[in-house]
mmCIF file of all heavy atoms in Angstrom:
data_model
loop_
_atom_site.group_PDB
_atom_site.id
_atom_site.type_symbol
_atom_site.label_atom_id
_atom_site.label_comp_id
_atom_site.label_asym_id
_atom_site.label_seq_id
_atom_site.Cartn_x
_atom_site.Cartn_y
_atom_site.Cartn_z
ATOM 1 N N LEU A 900 19.141 -16.052 -6.606
ATOM 2 C CA LEU A 900 19.548 -15.482 -7.897
ATOM 3 C C LEU A 900 19.497 -13.971 -7.796
ATOM 4 O O LEU A 900 18.527 -13.424 -7.335
ATOM 5 C CB LEU A 900 18.597 -15.888 -8.993
ATOM 6 C CG LEU A 900 18.743 -17.313 -9.569
ATOM 7 C CD1 LEU A 900 17.576 -17.558 -10.517
ATOM 8 C CD2 LEU A 900 20.032 -17.407 -10.339
ATOM 9 N N PRO A 901 20.505 -13.301 -8.309
ATOM 10 C CA PRO A 901 20.405 -11.817 -8.284
ATOM 11 C C PRO A 901 19.364 -11.395 -9.308
ATOM 12 O O PRO A 901 19.100 -12.118 -10.311
ATOM 13 C CB PRO A 901 21.789 -11.354 -8.730
ATOM 14 C CG PRO A 901 22.395 -12.534 -9.413
ATOM 15 C CD PRO A 901 21.782 -13.771 -8.868
ATOM 16 N N ALA A 902 18.686 -10.263 -9.050
ATOM 17 C CA ALA A 902 17.670 -9.777 -9.998
ATOM 18 C C ALA A 902 18.343 -9.338 -11.265
ATOM 19 O O ALA A 902 19.233 -8.510 -11.245
ATOM 20 C CB ALA A 902 16.921 -8.598 -9.371
ATOM 21 N N PRO A 903 17.995 -9.927 -12.434
ATOM 22 C CA PRO A 903 18.602 -9.480 -13.689
ATOM 23 C C PRO A 903 18.114 -8.084 -14.042
ATOM 24 O O PRO A 903 16.915 -7.790 -13.856
ATOM 25 C CB PRO A 903 18.189 -10.541 -14.699
ATOM 26 C CG PRO A 903 16.948 -11.127 -14.129
ATOM 27 C CD PRO A 903 16.971 -10.922 -12.669
ATOM 28 N N GLY A 904 18.968 -7.290 -14.560
ATOM 29 C CA GLY A 904 18.563 -5.939 -15.009
ATOM 30 C C GLY A 904 18.114 -5.974 -16.442
ATOM 31 O O GLY A 904 18.400 -6.941 -17.136
ATOM 32 N N PRO A 905 17.395 -4.971 -16.894
ATOM 33 C CA PRO A 905 16.981 -4.936 -18.351
ATOM 34 C C PRO A 905 18.158 -5.119 -19.290
ATOM 35 O O PRO A 905 17.912 -5.603 -20.421
ATOM 36 C CB PRO A 905 16.331 -3.505 -18.456
ATOM 37 C CG PRO A 905 15.999 -3.113 -17.065
ATOM 38 C CD PRO A 905 16.990 -3.778 -16.160
ATOM 39 N N ASP A 906 19.340 -4.790 -18.941
ATOM 40 C CA ASP A 906 20.472 -4.889 -19.911
ATOM 41 C C ASP A 906 21.018 -6.325 -19.994
ATOM 42 O O ASP A 906 21.435 -6.751 -21.031
ATOM 43 C CB ASP A 906 21.659 -3.915 -19.487
ATOM 44 C CG ASP A 906 21.223 -2.513 -19.620
ATOM 45 O OD1 ASP A 906 20.287 -2.251 -20.415
ATOM 46 O OD2 ASP A 906 21.825 -1.658 -18.879
ATOM 47 N N ASP A 907 20.971 -7.049 -18.837
ATOM 48 C CA ASP A 907 21.559 -8.399 -18.881
ATOM 49 C C ASP A 907 20.518 -9.524 -18.943
ATOM 50 O O ASP A 907 20.873 -10.673 -19.155
ATOM 51 C CB ASP A 907 22.552 -8.658 -17.717
ATOM 52 C CG ASP A 907 21.936 -8.269 -16.398
ATOM 53 O OD1 ASP A 907 20.719 -8.094 -16.353
ATOM 54 O OD2 ASP A 907 22.701 -8.026 -15.402
ATOM 55 N N ALA A 908 19.253 -9.193 -18.855
ATOM 56 C CA ALA A 908 18.209 -10.289 -18.940
ATOM 57 C C ALA A 908 17.967 -10.718 -20.404
ATOM 58 O O ALA A 908 18.046 -9.915 -21.319
ATOM 59 C CB ALA A 908 16.885 -9.753 -18.371
ATOM 60 N N PRO A 909 17.702 -12.024 -20.563
ATOM 61 C CA PRO A 909 17.496 -12.491 -21.937
ATOM 62 C C PRO A 909 16.123 -11.928 -22.432
ATOM 63 O O PRO A 909 15.223 -11.621 -21.658
ATOM 64 C CB PRO A 909 17.339 -13.984 -21.797
ATOM 65 C CG PRO A 909 17.166 -14.287 -20.307
ATOM 66 C CD PRO A 909 17.714 -13.109 -19.619
ATOM 67 N N ASN A 910 16.012 -11.756 -23.757
ATOM 68 C CA ASN A 910 14.845 -11.151 -24.321
ATOM 69 C C ASN A 910 13.544 -11.953 -24.016
ATOM 70 O O ASN A 910 12.486 -11.382 -23.755
ATOM 71 C CB ASN A 910 14.962 -11.080 -25.870
ATOM 72 C CG ASN A 910 15.827 -9.905 -26.233
ATOM 73 O OD1 ASN A 910 15.940 -8.956 -25.463
ATOM 74 N ND2 ASN A 910 16.434 -9.968 -27.408
ATOM 75 N N ALA A 911 13.687 -13.315 -23.975
ATOM 76 C CA ALA A 911 12.518 -14.118 -23.646
ATOM 77 C C ALA A 911 11.962 -13.763 -22.307
ATOM 78 O O ALA A 911 10.755 -13.705 -22.114
ATOM 79 C CB ALA A 911 12.925 -15.593 -23.698
ATOM 80 N N LEU A 912 12.888 -13.521 -21.326
ATOM 81 C CA LEU A 912 12.428 -13.152 -19.969
ATOM 82 C C LEU A 912 11.702 -11.794 -20.004
ATOM 83 O O LEU A 912 10.657 -11.588 -19.413
ATOM 84 C CB LEU A 912 13.587 -13.153 -19.005
ATOM 85 C CG LEU A 912 13.290 -12.785 -17.552
ATOM 86 C CD1 LEU A 912 12.304 -13.764 -16.924
ATOM 87 C CD2 LEU A 912 14.574 -12.766 -16.696
ATOM 88 N N LYS A 913 12.329 -10.815 -20.675
ATOM 89 C CA LYS A 913 11.730 -9.495 -20.752
ATOM 90 C C LYS A 913 10.370 -9.536 -21.409
ATOM 91 O O LYS A 913 9.397 -8.878 -20.977
ATOM 92 C CB LYS A 913 12.693 -8.512 -21.514
ATOM 93 C CG LYS A 913 13.973 -8.283 -20.719
ATOM 94 C CD LYS A 913 14.774 -7.162 -21.307
ATOM 95 C CE LYS A 913 15.735 -7.662 -22.403
ATOM 96 N NZ LYS A 913 16.846 -6.746 -22.673
ATOM 97 N N ASN A 914 10.295 -10.311 -22.484
ATOM 98 C CA ASN A 914 8.984 -10.350 -23.183
ATOM 99 C C ASN A 914 7.899 -11.033 -22.378
ATOM 100 O O ASN A 914 6.727 -10.661 -22.397
ATOM 101 C CB ASN A 914 9.175 -11.055 -24.589
ATOM 102 C CG ASN A 914 10.117 -10.344 -25.457
ATOM 103 O OD1 ASN A 914 10.400 -9.138 -25.240
ATOM 104 N ND2 ASN A 914 10.613 -10.991 -26.534
ATOM 105 N N PHE A 915 8.340 -12.126 -21.682
ATOM 106 C CA PHE A 915 7.369 -12.843 -20.799
ATOM 107 C C PHE A 915 6.853 -11.888 -19.746
ATOM 108 O O PHE A 915 5.633 -11.818 -19.491
ATOM 109 C CB PHE A 915 8.094 -14.046 -20.171
ATOM 110 C CG PHE A 915 7.191 -15.057 -19.522
ATOM 111 C CD1 PHE A 915 6.744 -16.167 -20.231
ATOM 112 C CD2 PHE A 915 6.794 -14.878 -18.180
ATOM 113 C CE1 PHE A 915 5.892 -17.090 -19.614
ATOM 114 C CE2 PHE A 915 5.950 -15.794 -17.584
ATOM 115 C CZ PHE A 915 5.480 -16.928 -18.293
ATOM 116 N N CYS A 916 7.753 -11.157 -19.140
ATOM 117 C CA CYS A 916 7.346 -10.183 -18.074
ATOM 118 C C CYS A 916 6.444 -9.119 -18.663
ATOM 119 O O CYS A 916 5.419 -8.694 -18.085
ATOM 120 C CB CYS A 916 8.566 -9.491 -17.468
ATOM 121 S SG CYS A 916 9.528 -10.628 -16.459
ATOM 122 N N ALA A 917 6.743 -8.650 -19.860
ATOM 123 C CA ALA A 917 5.940 -7.605 -20.542
ATOM 124 C C ALA A 917 4.492 -8.113 -20.752
ATOM 125 O O ALA A 917 3.504 -7.401 -20.559
ATOM 126 C CB ALA A 917 6.570 -7.183 -21.823
ATOM 127 N N SER A 918 4.371 -9.370 -21.217
ATOM 128 C CA SER A 918 3.074 -9.943 -21.490
ATOM 129 C C SER A 918 2.282 -10.094 -20.214
ATOM 130 O O SER A 918 1.059 -9.785 -20.173
ATOM 131 C CB SER A 918 3.209 -11.307 -22.202
ATOM 132 O OG SER A 918 4.033 -11.195 -23.310
ATOM 133 N N PHE A 919 2.923 -10.572 -19.123
ATOM 134 C CA PHE A 919 2.265 -10.792 -17.880
ATOM 135 C C PHE A 919 1.801 -9.484 -17.281
ATOM 136 O O PHE A 919 0.722 -9.233 -16.827
ATOM 137 C CB PHE A 919 3.167 -11.553 -16.941
ATOM 138 C CG PHE A 919 2.581 -11.685 -15.531
ATOM 139 C CD1 PHE A 919 1.576 -12.623 -15.347
ATOM 140 C CD2 PHE A 919 3.010 -10.884 -14.502
ATOM 141 C CE1 PHE A 919 0.949 -12.706 -14.050
ATOM 142 C CE2 PHE A 919 2.401 -10.980 -13.240
ATOM 143 C CZ PHE A 919 1.443 -11.881 -13.029
ATOM 144 N N ASN A 920 2.747 -8.527 -17.336
ATOM 145 C CA ASN A 920 2.476 -7.157 -16.771
ATOM 146 C C ASN A 920 1.252 -6.548 -17.478
ATOM 147 O O ASN A 920 0.348 -5.981 -16.858
ATOM 148 C CB ASN A 920 3.713 -6.306 -17.022
ATOM 149 C CG ASN A 920 3.749 -5.026 -16.260
ATOM 150 O OD1 ASN A 920 3.498 -5.024 -15.091
ATOM 151 N ND2 ASN A 920 4.112 -3.941 -16.946
ATOM 152 N N LEU A 921 1.230 -6.710 -18.814
ATOM 153 C CA LEU A 921 0.100 -6.117 -19.594
ATOM 154 C C LEU A 921 -1.229 -6.780 -19.216
ATOM 155 O O LEU A 921 -2.256 -6.104 -19.103
ATOM 156 C CB LEU A 921 0.368 -6.371 -21.110
ATOM 157 C CG LEU A 921 -0.656 -5.800 -22.046
ATOM 158 C CD1 LEU A 921 -0.773 -4.278 -21.941
ATOM 159 C CD2 LEU A 921 -0.397 -6.217 -23.467
ATOM 160 N N ALA A 922 -1.196 -8.120 -19.001
ATOM 161 C CA ALA A 922 -2.464 -8.799 -18.644
ATOM 162 C C ALA A 922 -2.963 -8.292 -17.273
ATOM 163 O O ALA A 922 -4.158 -8.069 -17.149
ATOM 164 C CB ALA A 922 -2.172 -10.308 -18.574
ATOM 165 N N VAL A 923 -2.103 -8.125 -16.325
ATOM 166 C CA VAL A 923 -2.520 -7.620 -14.998
ATOM 167 C C VAL A 923 -3.064 -6.207 -15.138
ATOM 168 O O VAL A 923 -4.143 -5.867 -14.637
ATOM 169 C CB VAL A 923 -1.398 -7.666 -13.976
ATOM 170 C CG1 VAL A 923 -1.840 -7.096 -12.618
ATOM 171 C CG2 VAL A 923 -0.917 -9.130 -13.761
ATOM 172 N N VAL A 924 -2.347 -5.380 -15.821
ATOM 173 C CA VAL A 924 -2.736 -3.949 -15.946
ATOM 174 C C VAL A 924 -4.060 -3.828 -16.725
ATOM 175 O O VAL A 924 -4.950 -3.057 -16.260
ATOM 176 C CB VAL A 924 -1.589 -3.129 -16.652
ATOM 177 C CG1 VAL A 924 -2.072 -1.734 -17.000
ATOM 178 C CG2 VAL A 924 -0.375 -3.032 -15.682
ATOM 179 N N ASP A 925 -4.238 -4.581 -17.826
ATOM 180 C CA ASP A 925 -5.454 -4.544 -18.577
ATOM 181 C C ASP A 925 -6.630 -4.895 -17.658
ATOM 182 O O ASP A 925 -7.663 -4.276 -17.695
ATOM 183 C CB ASP A 925 -5.409 -5.594 -19.683
ATOM 184 C CG ASP A 925 -4.710 -5.085 -20.952
ATOM 185 O OD1 ASP A 925 -4.415 -3.856 -21.006
ATOM 186 O OD2 ASP A 925 -4.446 -5.876 -21.884
ATOM 187 N N THR A 926 -6.422 -5.968 -16.813
ATOM 188 C CA THR A 926 -7.478 -6.436 -15.975
ATOM 189 C C THR A 926 -7.844 -5.355 -14.922
ATOM 190 O O THR A 926 -9.044 -5.065 -14.704
ATOM 191 C CB THR A 926 -7.070 -7.714 -15.284
ATOM 192 O OG1 THR A 926 -6.609 -8.626 -16.283
ATOM 193 C CG2 THR A 926 -8.175 -8.343 -14.490
ATOM 194 N N LEU A 927 -6.878 -4.777 -14.293
ATOM 195 C CA LEU A 927 -7.115 -3.750 -13.302
ATOM 196 C C LEU A 927 -7.808 -2.561 -13.919
ATOM 197 O O LEU A 927 -8.754 -1.998 -13.341
ATOM 198 C CB LEU A 927 -5.798 -3.296 -12.655
ATOM 199 C CG LEU A 927 -5.079 -4.323 -11.754
ATOM 200 C CD1 LEU A 927 -3.732 -3.855 -11.336
ATOM 201 C CD2 LEU A 927 -5.952 -4.627 -10.498
ATOM 202 N N CYS A 928 -7.367 -2.170 -15.131
ATOM 203 C CA CYS A 928 -8.038 -1.014 -15.783
ATOM 204 C C CYS A 928 -9.468 -1.297 -16.145
ATOM 205 O O CYS A 928 -10.350 -0.451 -15.995
ATOM 206 C CB CYS A 928 -7.244 -0.630 -17.049
ATOM 207 S SG CYS A 928 -5.705 0.141 -16.695
ATOM 208 N N ALA A 929 -9.728 -2.531 -16.656
ATOM 209 C CA ALA A 929 -11.091 -2.875 -17.030
ATOM 210 C C ALA A 929 -12.120 -2.761 -15.889
ATOM 211 O O ALA A 929 -13.184 -2.157 -15.998
ATOM 212 C CB ALA A 929 -11.156 -4.306 -17.665
ATOM 213 N N LYS A 930 -11.726 -3.266 -14.726
ATOM 214 C CA LYS A 930 -12.655 -3.219 -13.586
ATOM 215 C C LYS A 930 -12.746 -1.806 -12.985
ATOM 216 O O LYS A 930 -13.783 -1.387 -12.548
ATOM 217 C CB LYS A 930 -12.214 -4.213 -12.508
ATOM 218 C CG LYS A 930 -12.508 -5.650 -12.903
ATOM 219 C CD LYS A 930 -13.902 -6.148 -12.525
ATOM 220 C CE LYS A 930 -14.271 -7.450 -13.258
ATOM 221 N NZ LYS A 930 -14.779 -8.561 -12.430
ATOM 222 N N THR A 931 -11.610 -1.078 -13.072
ATOM 223 C CA THR A 931 -11.680 0.311 -12.563
ATOM 224 C C THR A 931 -12.578 1.139 -13.470
ATOM 225 O O THR A 931 -13.367 1.971 -12.968
ATOM 226 C CB THR A 931 -10.250 0.889 -12.488
ATOM 227 O OG1 THR A 931 -9.429 0.037 -11.727
ATOM 228 C CG2 THR A 931 -10.218 2.311 -11.910
ATOM 229 N N GLU A 932 -12.474 0.942 -14.731
ATOM 230 C CA GLU A 932 -13.310 1.662 -15.693
ATOM 231 C C GLU A 932 -14.828 1.333 -15.383
ATOM 232 O O GLU A 932 -15.679 2.193 -15.470
ATOM 233 C CB GLU A 932 -12.948 1.332 -17.150
ATOM 234 C CG GLU A 932 -13.410 2.359 -18.074
ATOM 235 C CD GLU A 932 -12.612 2.314 -19.426
ATOM 236 O OE1 GLU A 932 -11.790 1.334 -19.656
ATOM 237 O OE2 GLU A 932 -12.820 3.219 -20.255
ATOM 238 N N ARG A 933 -15.033 0.065 -15.057
ATOM 239 C CA ARG A 933 -16.426 -0.355 -14.811
ATOM 240 C C ARG A 933 -16.902 0.363 -13.510
ATOM 241 O O ARG A 933 -18.072 0.802 -13.485
ATOM 242 C CB ARG A 933 -16.420 -1.883 -14.601
ATOM 243 C CG ARG A 933 -17.756 -2.482 -14.693
ATOM 244 C CD ARG A 933 -17.690 -4.003 -14.560
ATOM 245 N NE ARG A 933 -17.146 -4.647 -15.712
ATOM 246 C CZ ARG A 933 -16.951 -5.973 -15.777
ATOM 247 N NH1 ARG A 933 -17.299 -6.749 -14.763
ATOM 248 N NH2 ARG A 933 -16.459 -6.557 -16.842
ATOM 249 N N ALA A 934 -16.042 0.512 -12.527
ATOM 250 C CA ALA A 934 -16.465 1.162 -11.289
ATOM 251 C C ALA A 934 -16.743 2.649 -11.589
ATOM 252 O O ALA A 934 -17.752 3.235 -11.114
ATOM 253 C CB ALA A 934 -15.345 1.089 -10.259
ATOM 254 N N LEU A 935 -15.891 3.273 -12.435
ATOM 255 C CA LEU A 935 -16.045 4.707 -12.766
ATOM 256 C C LEU A 935 -17.369 4.895 -13.521
ATOM 257 O O LEU A 935 -18.086 5.910 -13.340
ATOM 258 C CB LEU A 935 -14.877 5.205 -13.547
ATOM 259 C CG LEU A 935 -13.582 5.355 -12.766
ATOM 260 C CD1 LEU A 935 -12.387 5.320 -13.691
ATOM 261 C CD2 LEU A 935 -13.608 6.658 -11.935
ATOM 262 N N ALA A 936 -17.707 3.931 -14.384
ATOM 263 C CA ALA A 936 -18.927 4.073 -15.171
ATOM 264 C C ALA A 936 -20.177 4.064 -14.272
ATOM 265 O O ALA A 936 -21.187 4.697 -14.569
ATOM 266 C CB ALA A 936 -19.003 2.936 -16.172
ATOM 267 N N ALA A 937 -20.050 3.390 -13.142
ATOM 268 C CA ALA A 937 -21.195 3.327 -12.201
ATOM 269 C C ALA A 937 -21.346 4.633 -11.408
ATOM 270 O O ALA A 937 -22.387 4.849 -10.811
ATOM 271 C CB ALA A 937 -21.026 2.155 -11.241
ATOM 272 N N TYR A 938 -20.293 5.427 -11.438
ATOM 273 C CA TYR A 938 -20.333 6.733 -10.670
ATOM 274 C C TYR A 938 -19.879 7.841 -11.635
ATOM 275 O O TYR A 938 -18.798 8.374 -11.479
ATOM 276 C CB TYR A 938 -19.463 6.661 -9.437
ATOM 277 C CG TYR A 938 -19.909 5.628 -8.467
ATOM 278 C CD1 TYR A 938 -19.411 4.358 -8.471
ATOM 279 C CD2 TYR A 938 -20.932 5.902 -7.546
ATOM 280 C CE1 TYR A 938 -19.883 3.411 -7.612
ATOM 281 C CE2 TYR A 938 -21.407 4.972 -6.672
ATOM 282 C CZ TYR A 938 -20.902 3.656 -6.723
ATOM 283 O OH TYR A 938 -21.370 2.697 -5.864
ATOM 284 N N PRO A 939 -20.704 8.213 -12.598
ATOM 285 C CA PRO A 939 -20.276 9.142 -13.655
ATOM 286 C C PRO A 939 -19.914 10.542 -13.114
ATOM 287 O O PRO A 939 -19.227 11.280 -13.793
ATOM 288 C CB PRO A 939 -21.497 9.191 -14.595
ATOM 289 C CG PRO A 939 -22.638 8.566 -13.898
ATOM 290 C CD PRO A 939 -22.093 7.688 -12.816
ATOM 291 N N ASP A 940 -20.389 10.853 -11.899
ATOM 292 C CA ASP A 940 -20.117 12.144 -11.373
ATOM 293 C C ASP A 940 -18.713 12.253 -10.693
ATOM 294 O O ASP A 940 -18.289 13.352 -10.230
ATOM 295 C CB ASP A 940 -21.153 12.652 -10.347
ATOM 296 C CG ASP A 940 -22.524 12.781 -11.040
ATOM 297 O OD1 ASP A 940 -22.515 13.015 -12.281
ATOM 298 O OD2 ASP A 940 -23.514 12.677 -10.365
ATOM 299 N N ILE A 941 -18.047 11.130 -10.605
ATOM 300 C CA ILE A 941 -16.782 11.125 -9.914
ATOM 301 C C ILE A 941 -15.629 11.273 -10.949
ATOM 302 O O ILE A 941 -15.590 10.539 -11.975
ATOM 303 C CB ILE A 941 -16.591 9.837 -9.108
ATOM 304 C CG1 ILE A 941 -17.555 9.819 -7.953
ATOM 305 C CG2 ILE A 941 -15.155 9.681 -8.581
ATOM 306 C CD1 ILE A 941 -17.408 8.706 -6.933
ATOM 307 N N HIS A 942 -14.776 12.226 -10.675
ATOM 308 C CA HIS A 942 -13.672 12.560 -11.645
ATOM 309 C C HIS A 942 -12.316 12.325 -11.071
ATOM 310 O O HIS A 942 -11.318 12.740 -11.662
ATOM 311 C CB HIS A 942 -13.859 13.983 -12.108
ATOM 312 C CG HIS A 942 -15.197 14.234 -12.730
ATOM 313 N ND1 HIS A 942 -15.584 13.697 -13.912
ATOM 314 C CD2 HIS A 942 -16.258 14.932 -12.270
ATOM 315 C CE1 HIS A 942 -16.842 14.096 -14.182
ATOM 316 N NE2 HIS A 942 -17.260 14.832 -13.175
ATOM 317 N N GLU A 943 -12.221 11.731 -9.887
ATOM 318 C CA GLU A 943 -10.955 11.569 -9.252
ATOM 319 C C GLU A 943 -10.702 10.097 -8.966
ATOM 320 O O GLU A 943 -11.600 9.404 -8.445
ATOM 321 C CB GLU A 943 -11.005 12.342 -7.914
ATOM 322 C CG GLU A 943 -9.656 12.788 -7.392
ATOM 323 C CD GLU A 943 -9.435 14.279 -7.707
ATOM 324 O OE1 GLU A 943 -9.545 14.693 -8.891
ATOM 325 O OE2 GLU A 943 -9.047 14.958 -6.769
ATOM 326 N N LEU A 944 -9.534 9.598 -9.327
ATOM 327 C CA LEU A 944 -9.180 8.195 -9.054
ATOM 328 C C LEU A 944 -7.918 8.200 -8.175
ATOM 329 O O LEU A 944 -6.927 8.825 -8.524
ATOM 330 C CB LEU A 944 -8.905 7.439 -10.341
ATOM 331 C CG LEU A 944 -8.305 6.015 -10.142
ATOM 332 C CD1 LEU A 944 -9.363 5.078 -9.580
ATOM 333 C CD2 LEU A 944 -7.793 5.470 -11.488
ATOM 334 N N LEU A 945 -7.961 7.565 -7.015
ATOM 335 C CA LEU A 945 -6.837 7.450 -6.162
ATOM 336 C C LEU A 945 -6.267 6.043 -6.380
ATOM 337 O O LEU A 945 -6.986 5.063 -6.284
ATOM 338 C CB LEU A 945 -7.133 7.687 -4.699
ATOM 339 C CG LEU A 945 -7.938 8.938 -4.372
ATOM 340 C CD1 LEU A 945 -8.052 9.126 -2.851
ATOM 341 C CD2 LEU A 945 -7.286 10.171 -4.982
ATOM 342 N N LEU A 946 -4.971 5.953 -6.695
ATOM 343 C CA LEU A 946 -4.349 4.688 -6.995
ATOM 344 C C LEU A 946 -3.198 4.530 -6.006
ATOM 345 O O LEU A 946 -2.298 5.366 -5.987
ATOM 346 C CB LEU A 946 -3.818 4.735 -8.434
ATOM 347 C CG LEU A 946 -2.990 3.626 -8.955
ATOM 348 C CD1 LEU A 946 -3.788 2.335 -9.055
ATOM 349 C CD2 LEU A 946 -2.469 3.984 -10.351
ATOM 350 N N ALA A 947 -3.189 3.439 -5.229
ATOM 351 C CA ALA A 947 -2.131 3.282 -4.218
ATOM 352 C C ALA A 947 -1.819 1.886 -3.893
ATOM 353 O O ALA A 947 -2.465 0.950 -4.453
ATOM 354 C CB ALA A 947 -2.556 4.039 -2.961
#
Side-chain angles (χ1 to χ4, degrees):
L900 280 175
D906 293 336
D907 49 17
N910 282 337
L912 179 61
K913 291 191 272 199
N914 297 344
F915 194 93
C916 289
S918 306
F919 175 75
N920 196 45
L921 181 65
V923 176
V924 170
D925 278 349
T926 307
L927 291 172
C928 287
K930 288 272 164 128
T931 305
E932 200 158 8
R933 197 177 287 179
L935 288 158
Y938 297 94
D940 295 337
I941 293 186
H942 303 291
E943 208 99 309
L944 172 71
L945 309 186
L946 173 66

